[in-house]
Amino acid sequence: MNINIRPLHDRIIVQRLPEEEKTTGGIIIPDTAKEKPQRGKVLYTGQGRTTEEGKRLPMEVKPGDEVLFGKYSGTEFQVGEDELLMMKEDDIYGVVN
């Protein structure tokens, strides 16, 4: 995917990963009962946060990382048919190994 947006500072652009359509017991979850996924793939990152002393702190996540984030984290926006999120690196809870 190629978009013409470059995140600044400690912001990242994430694409949500699809959740399972069924429960472990085999029950199919209808669209109206689904929650938005809290797992995504990092597409783009900014250069990192700048401290008060002018020093740049590097990002801990990189494009391609699979991350976990809060349910209401970030700002949603649409590029073509893709729904993306822009959030600060602090909104990320962890990187999935």
Coordinates of all heavy atoms in Angstrom, one line a residue:
M1 N 0.8 -1.2 0.0 CA 0.0 0.0 0.0 C 0.9 1.2 0.0 O 1.8 1.3 0.7 CB -0.9 0.0 1.2 CG -1.7 1.2 1.4 SD -2.6 1.4 2.9 CE -3.4 -0.2 3.0
N2 N 0.6 2.2 -0.8 CA 1.3 3.4 -0.9 C 0.4 4.6 -0.7 O -0.5 4.8 -1.4 CB 2.0 3.5 -2.3 CG 3.0 4.6 -2.4 OD1 3.4 5.2 -1.3 ND2 3.5 4.9 -3.5
I3 N 0.7 5.4 0.4 CA -0.1 6.5 0.6 C 0.8 7.7 0.7 O 2.0 7.6 0.9 CB -0.9 6.4 2.0 CG1 0.0 6.2 3.1 CG2 -1.9 5.2 1.9 CD1 -0.7 6.2 4.5
N4 N 0.2 8.9 0.5 CA 1.0 10.2 0.5 C 0.9 10.9 1.8 O 0.7 12.1 1.8 CB 0.4 11.1 -0.7 CG 0.7 10.4 -2.0 OD1 1.7 9.8 -2.2 ND2 -0.2 10.7 -3.0
I5 N 1.0 10.2 2.9 CA 1.0 10.8 4.2 C 2.3 10.3 4.9 O 2.6 9.1 4.9 CB -0.2 10.3 5.0 CG1 -1.5 10.8 4.3 CG2 -0.2 10.9 6.4 CD1 -2.7 10.2 4.9
R6 N 3.0 11.3 5.5 CA 4.2 10.9 6.3 C 3.9 11.3 7.7 O 3.7 12.5 8.0 CB 5.4 11.7 5.7 CG 6.7 11.4 6.5 CD 7.9 12.1 5.8 NE 7.6 13.5 5.6 CZ 8.1 14.5 6.5 NH1 8.7 14.1 7.6 NH2 7.8 15.7 6.2
P7 N 3.9 10.4 8.7 CA 3.6 10.7 10.1 C 4.8 11.5 10.6 O 6.0 11.3 10.3 CB 3.5 9.4 10.8 CG 3.9 8.4 9.8 CD 4.0 9.0 8.5
L8 N 4.5 12.5 11.5 CA 5.6 13.3 12.1 C 5.9 12.8 13.5 O 5.0 12.2 14.2 CB 5.1 14.8 12.2 CG 4.8 15.4 10.8 CD1 4.2 16.8 11.0 CD2 6.0 15.5 10.0
H9 N 7.0 13.1 14.0 CA 7.5 12.9 15.3 C 7.3 11.4 15.8 O 7.8 10.5 15.1 CB 6.9 13.9 16.3 CG 7.0 15.3 15.8 ND1 8.2 15.9 15.8 CD2 6.1 16.2 15.4 CE1 8.1 17.2 15.3 NE2 6.8 17.3 15.1
D10 N 6.5 11.2 16.8 CA 6.4 9.8 17.4 C 5.0 9.2 17.0 O 4.4 8.4 17.7 CB 6.5 9.8 18.9 CG 5.5 10.6 19.6 OD1 4.9 11.5 19.0 OD2 5.2 10.4 20.8
R11 N 4.5 9.6 15.8 CA 3.2 9.1 15.3 C 3.5 7.9 14.4 O 4.5 7.9 13.7 CB 2.4 10.2 14.7 CG 1.9 11.1 15.7 CD 1.0 12.2 15.1 NE 0.3 13.0 16.1 CZ 0.9 13.9 16.8 NH1 2.2 14.2 16.7 NH2 0.3 14.7 17.7
I12 N 2.5 7.0 14.3 CA 2.6 5.9 13.4 C 1.3 5.7 12.7 O 0.2 6.1 13.2 CB 3.0 4.6 14.2 CG1 1.9 4.2 15.2 CG2 4.4 4.7 14.8 CD1 2.1 2.9 15.8
I13 N 1.3 5.0 11.6 CA 0.1 4.7 10.8 C 0.0 3.2 10.9 O 0.9 2.4 10.6 CB 0.2 5.2 9.4 CG1 0.2 6.7 9.3 CG2 -1.0 4.6 8.6 CD1 0.3 7.3 8.0
V14 N -1.2 2.7 11.3 CA -1.4 1.3 11.6 C -2.7 0.9 10.8 O -3.6 1.6 10.6 CB -1.7 1.0 13.1 CG1 -2.1 -0.4 13.3 CG2 -0.5 1.4 13.9
Q15 N -2.6 -0.3 10.2 CA -3.8 -0.9 9.6 C -4.3 -2.1 10.5 O -3.5 -2.9 10.9 CB -3.4 -1.5 8.2 CG -4.6 -2.1 7.5 CD -4.2 -2.5 6.0 OE1 -3.1 -2.9 5.8 NE2 -5.2 -2.4 5.2
R16 N -5.5 -2.0 10.8 CA -6.1 -3.0 11.7 C -6.0 -4.4 11.0 O -6.3 -4.5 9.8 CB -7.6 -2.7 12.0 CG -7.8 -1.6 12.9 CD -9.3 -1.4 13.3 NE -9.6 -0.2 13.8 CZ -9.6 0.1 15.1 NH1 -9.4 -0.9 16.0 NH2 -9.9 1.3 15.6
L17 N -5.8 -5.4 11.8 CA -5.8 -6.8 11.3 C -7.2 -7.4 11.6 O -7.8 -7.1 12.6 CB -4.7 -7.6 12.0 CG -3.3 -7.2 11.7 CD1 -2.3 -8.1 12.5 CD2 -3.0 -7.3 10.2
P18 N -7.7 -8.2 10.7 CA -9.1 -8.7 10.8 C -9.1 -9.7 12.0 O -8.1 -10.4 12.3 CB -9.3 -9.5 9.5 CG -8.0 -9.7 8.9 CD -7.1 -8.6 9.4
E19 N -10.2 -9.7 12.7 CA -10.5 -10.6 13.9 C -11.1 -11.9 13.4 O -11.6 -11.9 12.2 CB -11.4 -9.9 14.9 CG -10.7 -8.8 15.6 CD -9.7 -9.3 16.7 OE1 -9.9 -10.3 17.3 OE2 -8.7 -8.6 16.8
E20 N -11.1 -12.9 14.2 CA -11.7 -14.1 13.9 C -13.2 -14.0 13.7 O -13.9 -13.2 14.4 CB -11.5 -15.1 15.0 CG -10.0 -15.6 15.1 CD -9.6 -16.4 14.0 OE1 -10.3 -17.3 13.5 OE2 -8.4 -16.2 13.6
E21 N -13.8 -14.7 12.7 CA -15.2 -14.7 12.4 C -16.0 -15.6 13.3 O -17.2 -15.5 13.4 CB -15.4 -15.1 10.9 CG -14.7 -14.2 9.9 CD -15.4 -12.9 9.7 OE1 -16.7 -12.9 9.7 OE2 -14.8 -11.9 9.5
K22 N -15.3 -16.6 14.0 CA -15.9 -17.6 14.8 C -15.3 -17.6 16.2 O -14.1 -17.2 16.4 CB -15.7 -19.0 14.2 CG -16.4 -19.3 12.9 CD -16.2 -20.7 12.6 CE -16.7 -21.0 11.2 NZ -16.4 -22.4 10.8
T23 N -16.1 -18.1 17.2 CA -15.5 -18.3 18.5 C -14.9 -19.7 18.5 O -15.0 -20.4 17.5 CB -16.7 -18.3 19.6 OG1 -17.5 -19.4 19.3 CG2 -17.4 -17.0 19.6
T24 N -14.2 -20.0 19.6 CA -13.5 -21.3 19.6 C -14.5 -22.4 19.6 O -14.2 -23.5 19.3 CB -12.6 -21.4 20.9 OG1 -13.4 -21.1 22.0 CG2 -11.4 -20.4 20.8
G25 N -15.7 -22.2 20.1 CA -16.7 -23.2 20.1 C -17.4 -23.3 18.7 O -18.3 -24.2 18.5
G26 N -17.1 -22.5 17.7 CA -17.6 -22.6 16.4 C -18.8 -21.7 16.1 O -19.4 -21.8 15.0
I27 N -19.2 -20.8 17.0 CA -20.3 -19.9 16.8 C -19.8 -18.8 16.0 O -18.8 -18.1 16.2 CB -20.8 -19.4 18.2 CG1 -21.3 -20.5 19.0 CG2 -21.9 -18.3 18.0 CD1 -21.7 -20.2 20.4
I28 N -20.5 -18.5 14.9 CA -20.2 -17.4 14.0 C -20.7 -16.1 14.6 O -21.8 -15.9 15.0 CB -20.8 -17.6 12.6 CG1 -20.2 -18.9 12.0 CG2 -20.6 -16.4 11.7 CD1 -20.8 -19.3 10.7
I29 N -19.8 -15.1 14.6 CA -20.1 -13.8 15.2 C -20.7 -12.9 14.1 O -20.0 -12.6 13.1 CB -18.9 -13.1 15.8 CG1 -18.2 -14.1 16.9 CG2 -19.2 -11.8 16.4 CD1 -16.9 -13.6 17.3
P30 N -21.9 -12.3 14.3 CA -22.5 -11.5 13.3 C -21.8 -10.1 13.3 O -21.2 -9.7 14.3 CB -24.0 -11.3 13.7 CG -24.0 -11.6 15.2 CD -22.8 -12.6 15.4
D31 N -21.9 -9.4 12.2 CA -21.2 -8.1 12.0 C -21.6 -7.1 13.1 O -20.8 -6.3 13.5 CB -21.4 -7.5 10.6 CG -20.7 -8.3 9.5 OD1 -19.7 -8.9 9.9 OD2 -21.1 -8.2 8.4
T32 N -22.9 -7.1 13.5 CA -23.4 -6.2 14.5 C -22.8 -6.4 15.8 O -22.8 -5.5 16.7 CB -24.9 -6.2 14.5 OG1 -25.3 -7.6 14.8 CG2 -25.5 -5.8 13.2
A33 N -22.3 -7.6 16.1 CA -21.8 -7.9 17.5 C -20.3 -7.8 17.5 O -19.7 -7.9 18.6 CB -22.2 -9.3 17.9
K34 N -19.6 -7.6 16.4 CA -18.2 -7.5 16.4 C -17.6 -6.2 16.9 O -18.2 -5.2 16.7 CB -17.7 -7.7 14.9 CG -17.8 -9.0 14.4 CD -17.2 -9.1 13.0 CE -17.5 -10.4 12.3 NZ -17.1 -10.4 11.0
E35 N -16.5 -6.3 17.6 CA -15.8 -5.1 18.1 C -14.7 -4.9 17.1 O -14.2 -5.8 16.5 CB -15.3 -5.3 19.5 CG -16.4 -5.4 20.5 CD -15.9 -5.4 21.9 OE1 -14.7 -5.0 22.1 OE2 -16.6 -5.7 22.8
K36 N -14.2 -3.6 17.1 CA -13.1 -3.3 16.2 C -11.8 -4.0 16.8 O -11.6 -4.0 18.0 CB -12.8 -1.8 16.2 CG -14.0 -1.1 15.4 CD -13.6 0.3 15.1 CE -14.7 0.9 14.3 NZ -14.4 2.2 13.9
P37 N -11.0 -4.5 15.9 CA -9.8 -5.2 16.3 C -8.8 -4.3 17.0 O -8.8 -3.1 16.7 CB -9.2 -5.7 15.0 CG -10.2 -5.6 14.0 CD -11.2 -4.6 14.4
Q38 N -8.1 -4.8 18.0 CA -7.1 -4.1 18.8 C -5.7 -4.5 18.4 O -4.8 -4.4 19.2 CB -7.4 -4.2 20.3 CG -8.7 -3.6 20.7 CD -8.9 -3.9 22.2 OE1 -9.3 -5.0 22.5 NE2 -8.8 -2.9 23.0
R39 N -5.6 -5.1 17.3 CA -4.3 -5.6 16.8 C -4.2 -5.1 15.4 O -5.1 -5.0 14.6 CB -4.5 -7.1 16.7 CG -3.2 -7.9 16.6 CD -3.5 -9.3 16.7 NE -2.3 -10.0 17.0 CZ -2.2 -11.2 17.5 NH1 -3.2 -11.8 17.9 NH2 -1.0 -11.7 17.7
G40 N -2.9 -4.7 15.0 CA -2.7 -4.1 13.7 C -1.3 -4.2 13.3 O -0.4 -4.7 14.0
K41 N -1.1 -3.8 12.0 CA 0.3 -3.9 11.4 C 0.7 -2.5 11.2 O 0.0 -1.6 10.6 CB 0.2 -4.6 10.1 CG 1.5 -4.7 9.4 CD 1.3 -5.5 8.1 CE 2.6 -5.5 7.3 NZ 2.5 -6.1 6.0
V42 N 2.0 -2.2 11.6 CA 2.5 -0.8 11.4 C 2.9 -0.7 10.0 O 3.7 -1.5 9.4 CB 3.8 -0.6 12.3 CG1 4.4 0.7 12.1 CG2 3.4 -0.8 13.8
L43 N 2.4 0.4 9.3 CA 2.7 0.7 7.9 C 3.8 1.7 7.8 O 4.8 1.5 7.0 CB 1.5 1.1 7.2 CG 0.3 0.2 7.1 CD1 -0.9 0.8 6.4 CD2 0.7 -1.1 6.5
Y44 N 3.7 2.8 8.6 CA 4.7 3.9 8.5 C 4.9 4.4 9.9 O 4.0 4.4 10.7 CB 4.2 5.0 7.6 CG 3.9 4.6 6.2 CD1 2.6 4.3 5.8 CD2 4.9 4.5 5.2 CE1 2.3 3.9 4.5 CE2 4.6 4.1 3.9 CZ 3.3 3.8 3.6 OH 3.0 3.4 2.3
T45 N 6.1 5.0 10.1 CA 6.5 5.6 11.4 C 7.1 7.0 11.1 O 7.7 7.2 10.1 CB 7.5 4.7 12.2 OG1 8.7 4.7 11.5 CG2 6.9 3.4 12.5
G46 N 7.0 7.8 12.2 CA 7.7 9.1 12.1 C 9.1 8.9 12.5 O 9.6 7.7 12.7
Q47 N 9.9 9.9 12.6 CA 11.3 9.8 12.9 C 11.6 9.7 14.4 O 12.7 9.3 14.8 CB 12.1 11.0 12.4 CG 12.0 11.1 10.9 CD 12.8 12.3 10.4 OE1 13.1 13.2 11.1 NE2 13.1 12.3 9.1
G48 N 10.6 9.9 15.3 CA 10.8 9.8 16.7 C 10.5 11.1 17.4 O 10.5 12.2 16.8
R49 N 10.4 11.0 18.7 CA 10.1 12.2 19.5 C 11.4 13.0 19.8 O 12.4 12.4 20.0 CB 9.5 11.7 20.9 CG 9.0 12.8 21.8 CD 8.1 12.2 22.9 NE 8.8 11.3 23.7 CZ 9.6 11.5 24.8 NH1 9.7 12.8 25.2 NH2 10.2 10.6 25.5
T50 N 11.2 14.3 19.9 CA 12.3 15.2 20.2 C 12.2 15.6 21.7 O 11.2 16.0 22.1 CB 12.3 16.4 19.3 OG1 12.3 15.9 17.9 CG2 13.6 17.2 19.5
T51 N 13.3 15.5 22.4 CA 13.3 15.9 23.8 C 13.4 17.4 23.9 O 13.7 18.1 22.9 CB 14.5 15.2 24.6 OG1 15.7 15.7 24.1 CG2 14.4 13.7 24.5
E52 N 13.3 17.9 25.2 CA 13.5 19.3 25.4 C 14.9 19.8 25.1 O 15.1 21.0 24.8 CB 13.1 19.7 26.8 CG 11.6 19.5 27.1 CD 11.3 19.8 28.5 OE1 12.1 20.4 29.3 OE2 10.1 19.5 28.9
E53 N 15.8 18.9 25.2 CA 17.2 19.2 24.9 C 17.5 19.2 23.4 O 18.6 19.5 23.0 CB 18.2 18.3 25.6 CG 18.2 18.3 27.1 CD 17.0 17.5 27.7 OE1 16.7 16.5 27.1 OE2 16.5 18.0 28.7
G54 N 16.5 18.8 22.6 CA 16.7 18.8 21.1 C 17.2 17.4 20.6 O 17.6 17.3 19.4
K55 N 17.3 16.5 21.5 CA 17.8 15.1 21.1 C 16.6 14.3 20.6 O 15.5 14.3 21.2 CB 18.4 14.5 22.3 CG 19.3 13.4 22.1 CD 20.0 13.0 23.4 CE 20.5 11.6 23.3 NZ 21.0 11.1 24.6
R56 N 16.8 13.6 19.5 CA 15.7 12.7 18.9 C 15.8 11.3 19.5 O 16.8 10.7 19.4 CB 15.8 12.7 17.4 CG 14.6 12.0 16.8 CD 14.5 12.1 15.3 NE 14.5 13.4 14.8 CZ 13.5 14.2 14.6 NH1 12.3 13.8 15.0 NH2 13.6 15.4 14.1
L57 N 14.7 10.9 20.1 CA 14.6 9.5 20.6 C 14.0 8.6 19.4 O 13.0 8.9 18.9 CB 13.6 9.4 21.8 CG 14.0 10.3 23.0 CD1 12.9 10.2 24.0 CD2 15.3 9.8 23.5
P58 N 14.7 7.5 19.1 CA 14.3 6.7 18.0 C 13.0 5.9 18.4 O 12.7 5.7 19.5 CB 15.4 5.7 17.8 CG 16.2 5.7 19.1 CD 16.0 7.0 19.7
M59 N 12.2 5.5 17.3 CA 11.0 4.8 17.5 C 11.3 3.4 17.9 O 12.3 2.8 17.5 CB 10.2 4.8 16.2 CG 9.8 6.1 15.7 SD 8.5 6.9 16.7 CE 7.1 6.1 16.0
E60 N 10.5 2.8 18.8 CA 10.7 1.4 19.2 C 10.0 0.4 18.2 O 10.3 -0.8 18.2 CB 10.2 1.2 20.6 CG 11.1 1.9 21.6 CD 10.7 1.5 23.1 OE1 10.5 0.3 23.3 OE2 10.6 2.4 23.9
V61 N 9.0 0.9 17.5 CA 8.3 0.0 16.5 C 8.8 0.4 15.1 O 9.3 1.5 14.9 CB 6.8 0.2 16.6 CG1 6.3 -0.3 17.9 CG2 6.3 1.6 16.3
K62 N 8.7 -0.5 14.2 CA 9.1 -0.3 12.8 C 8.1 -0.8 11.9 O 7.2 -1.6 12.3 CB 10.5 -0.9 12.6 CG 10.5 -2.4 12.7 CD 11.9 -2.9 12.6 CE 12.0 -4.4 12.8 NZ 11.4 -5.0 13.9
P63 N 8.1 -0.3 10.6 CA 7.1 -0.9 9.7 C 7.2 -2.4 9.6 O 8.2 -3.0 9.6 CB 7.5 -0.2 8.4 CG 8.1 1.1 8.8 CD 8.9 0.7 10.1
G64 N 6.0 -3.0 9.6 CA 5.9 -4.5 9.5 C 5.6 -5.1 10.8 O 5.2 -6.3 10.9
D65 N 5.9 -4.4 12.0 CA 5.6 -4.9 13.3 C 4.1 -5.1 13.5 O 3.3 -4.3 13.0 CB 6.1 -4.0 14.4 CG 7.6 -4.1 14.6 OD1 8.2 -5.0 14.0 OD2 8.1 -3.2 15.3
E66 N 3.7 -6.2 14.2 CA 2.3 -6.4 14.5 C 2.2 -6.0 16.0 O 3.0 -6.4 16.9 CB 2.0 -7.9 14.4 CG 0.5 -8.2 14.6 CD 0.2 -9.7 14.3 OE1 0.7 -10.2 13.3 OE2 -0.5 -10.2 15.1
V67 N 1.3 -5.1 16.2 CA 1.2 -4.4 17.5 C -0.2 -4.6 18.2 O -1.2 -4.8 17.4 CB 1.5 -2.9 17.4 CG1 3.0 -2.7 17.1 CG2 0.6 -2.2 16.5
L68 N -0.3 -4.4 19.5 CA -1.6 -4.4 20.2 C -1.7 -2.9 20.7 O -0.8 -2.3 21.2 CB -1.5 -5.3 21.4 CG -1.3 -6.8 21.1 CD1 -1.1 -7.5 22.4 CD2 -2.5 -7.3 20.4
F69 N -3.0 -2.4 20.6 CA -3.3 -1.0 21.0 C -4.6 -1.0 21.7 O -5.4 -1.9 21.6 CB -3.2 -0.1 19.9 CG -3.9 -0.5 18.6 CD1 -5.3 -0.2 18.5 CD2 -3.3 -1.2 17.6 CE1 -6.0 -0.6 17.4 CE2 -4.0 -1.6 16.5 CZ -5.3 -1.3 16.4
G70 N -4.9 0.2 22.3 CA -6.2 0.3 23.0 C -7.4 0.4 22.1 O -7.3 0.7 20.9
K71 N -8.5 0.1 22.6 CA -9.8 0.0 21.8 C -10.1 1.4 21.2 O -10.6 1.4 20.1 CB -10.9 -0.4 22.7 CG -12.2 -0.7 22.0 CD -13.3 -1.1 22.9 CE -13.0 -2.5 23.5 NZ -14.1 -3.0 24.3
Y72 N -9.9 2.5 21.9 CA -10.2 3.8 21.4 C -9.0 4.6 21.0 O -9.0 5.8 21.0 CB -11.1 4.5 22.4 CG -12.3 3.8 22.7 CD1 -12.5 3.1 23.9 CD2 -13.3 3.6 21.8 CE1 -13.6 2.4 24.2 CE2 -14.5 2.9 22.1 CZ -14.6 2.3 23.3 OH -15.7 1.6 23.5
S73 N -7.9 3.9 20.7 CA -6.6 4.6 20.4 C -6.6 5.2 19.0 O -7.2 4.6 18.1 CB -5.4 3.7 20.5 OG -5.3 3.2 21.8
G74 N -5.9 6.3 18.8 CA -5.7 6.8 17.5 C -6.9 7.5 16.8 O -8.0 7.6 17.4
T75 N -6.6 8.0 15.7 CA -7.6 8.7 14.8 C -7.8 7.9 13.5 O -6.8 7.7 12.9 CB -7.1 10.1 14.5 OG1 -6.9 10.8 15.7 CG2 -8.1 10.9 13.7
E76 N -9.0 7.5 13.2 CA -9.3 6.8 12.0 C -9.4 7.7 10.8 O -9.9 8.8 10.9 CB -10.6 6.0 12.2 CG -10.6 4.9 13.2 CD -11.9 4.2 13.3 OE1 -12.9 4.6 12.7 OE2 -11.9 3.2 14.1
F77 N -8.8 7.2 9.7 CA -9.0 7.9 8.4 C -9.0 6.9 7.3 O -8.6 5.8 7.5 CB -7.9 9.0 8.2 CG -6.5 8.5 8.1 CD1 -6.0 8.3 6.8 CD2 -5.8 8.1 9.2 CE1 -4.7 7.8 6.7 CE2 -4.5 7.7 9.1 CZ -3.9 7.5 7.8
Q78 N -9.5 7.3 6.2 CA -9.7 6.4 5.1 C -8.8 6.8 3.9 O -8.7 8.0 3.6 CB -11.1 6.4 4.6 CG -11.5 5.2 3.7 CD -12.7 4.5 4.2 OE1 -13.3 4.8 5.2 NE2 -13.1 3.4 3.5
V79 N -8.1 5.8 3.3 CA -7.4 6.0 2.1 C -7.9 5.0 1.1 O -7.7 3.8 1.2 CB -5.9 5.8 2.3 CG1 -5.1 5.9 1.0 CG2 -5.3 6.8 3.3
G80 N -8.6 5.5 0.1 CA -9.3 4.5 -0.9 C -10.3 3.7 -0.1 O -11.2 4.2 0.5
E81 N -10.1 2.4 -0.1 CA -11.0 1.5 0.6 C -10.4 1.1 1.9 O -11.1 0.4 2.7 CB -11.4 0.3 -0.3 CG -12.0 0.7 -1.6 CD -13.0 -0.3 -2.1 OE1 -13.2 -1.3 -1.4 OE2 -13.6 0.0 -3.1
D82 N -9.2 1.4 2.2 CA -8.5 1.0 3.4 C -8.8 2.0 4.6 O -8.7 3.2 4.4 CB -7.0 0.9 3.2 CG -6.7 -0.1 2.2 OD1 -7.3 -1.2 2.2 OD2 -5.8 0.1 1.3
E83 N -9.2 1.4 5.7 CA -9.4 2.2 6.9 C -8.1 2.1 7.8 O -7.7 1.0 8.1 CB -10.6 1.7 7.7 CG -11.0 2.6 8.8 CD -12.3 2.1 9.5 OE1 -13.3 2.2 8.8 OE2 -12.2 1.7 10.6
L84 N -7.5 3.2 8.0 CA -6.2 3.2 8.8 C -6.3 4.0 10.1 O -7.3 4.7 10.2 CB -5.1 3.9 7.9 CG -4.9 3.3 6.5 CD1 -3.9 4.1 5.7 CD2 -4.4 1.8 6.6
L85 N -5.4 3.9 10.9 CA -5.3 4.6 12.2 C -4.0 5.4 12.3 O -2.9 4.8 11.9 CB -5.3 3.6 13.4 CG -6.6 3.0 13.7 CD1 -6.4 1.9 14.7 CD2 -7.6 4.0 14.3
M86 N -4.0 6.6 12.8 CA -2.8 7.3 13.1 C -2.8 7.5 14.6 O -3.8 8.0 15.2 CB -2.7 8.7 12.4 CG -1.4 9.3 12.7 SD -1.0 10.8 11.8 CE -0.9 10.2 10.1
M87 N -1.7 7.1 15.2 CA -1.7 7.2 16.7 C -0.3 7.5 17.1 O 0.7 7.4 16.4 CB -2.1 5.9 17.3 CG -1.3 4.6 17.0 SD -1.9 3.1 17.8 CE -3.4 2.8 16.9
K88 N -0.1 7.9 18.4 CA 1.2 8.1 19.0 C 1.8 6.8 19.4 O 1.0 5.8 19.7 CB 1.1 9.0 20.2 CG 0.8 10.4 19.8 CD 1.0 11.3 21.0 CE 1.2 12.7 20.5 NZ 2.2 13.4 21.4
E89 N 3.1 6.7 19.4 CA 3.7 5.4 19.8 C 3.3 5.1 21.3 O 3.3 3.9 21.6 CB 5.3 5.6 19.7 CG 6.0 4.3 20.0 CD 7.5 4.4 19.8 OE1 8.0 5.5 20.1 OE2 8.1 3.4 19.4
D90 N 3.0 6.0 22.1 CA 2.6 5.7 23.5 C 1.3 5.0 23.6 O 1.0 4.3 24.6 CB 2.4 7.0 24.3 CG 3.7 7.7 24.6 OD1 4.8 7.1 24.4 OD2 3.7 8.9 24.9
D91 N 0.5 5.0 22.5 CA -0.8 4.3 22.5 C -0.6 2.8 22.2 O -1.6 2.1 22.4 CB -1.7 4.9 21.4 CG -2.2 6.3 21.6 OD1 -2.2 6.7 22.8 OD2 -2.5 7.0 20.7
I92 N 0.6 2.4 21.9 CA 0.8 1.0 21.6 C 1.2 0.3 23.0 O 2.0 0.7 23.7 CB 1.9 0.8 20.6 CG1 1.5 1.3 19.3 CG2 2.4 -0.7 20.5 CD1 2.5 1.3 18.2
Y93 N 0.5 -0.9 23.2 CA 0.7 -1.6 24.4 C 1.9 -2.6 24.3 O 2.6 -2.9 25.2 CB -0.5 -2.4 24.8 CG -1.7 -1.5 25.2 CD1 -3.0 -2.0 24.9 CD2 -1.5 -0.3 25.8 CE1 -4.1 -1.2 25.3 CE2 -2.6 0.5 26.1 CZ -3.9 0.0 25.8 OH -5.0 0.8 26.1
G94 N 2.1 -3.1 23.1 CA 3.2 -4.1 22.9 C 3.3 -4.6 21.5 O 2.4 -4.3 20.6
V95 N 4.4 -5.2 21.2 CA 4.7 -5.8 19.8 C 4.5 -7.3 19.9 O 5.0 -7.9 20.9 CB 6.1 -5.4 19.4 CG1 6.4 -6.0 18.0 CG2 6.3 -3.9 19.3
V96 N 3.8 -7.9 19.0 CA 3.5 -9.3 19.0 C 4.7 -10.0 18.3 O 5.1 -9.6 17.2 CB 2.2 -9.7 18.2 CG1 2.0 -11.1 18.2 CG2 1.0 -8.9 18.8
N97 N 5.3 -11.0 19.0 CA 6.5 -11.7 18.4 C 6.0 -12.9 17.6 O 5.1 -13.5 17.8 CB 7.4 -12.2 19.6 CG 8.1 -11.1 20.2 OD1 8.4 -10.1 19.6 ND2 8.3 -11.2 21.5

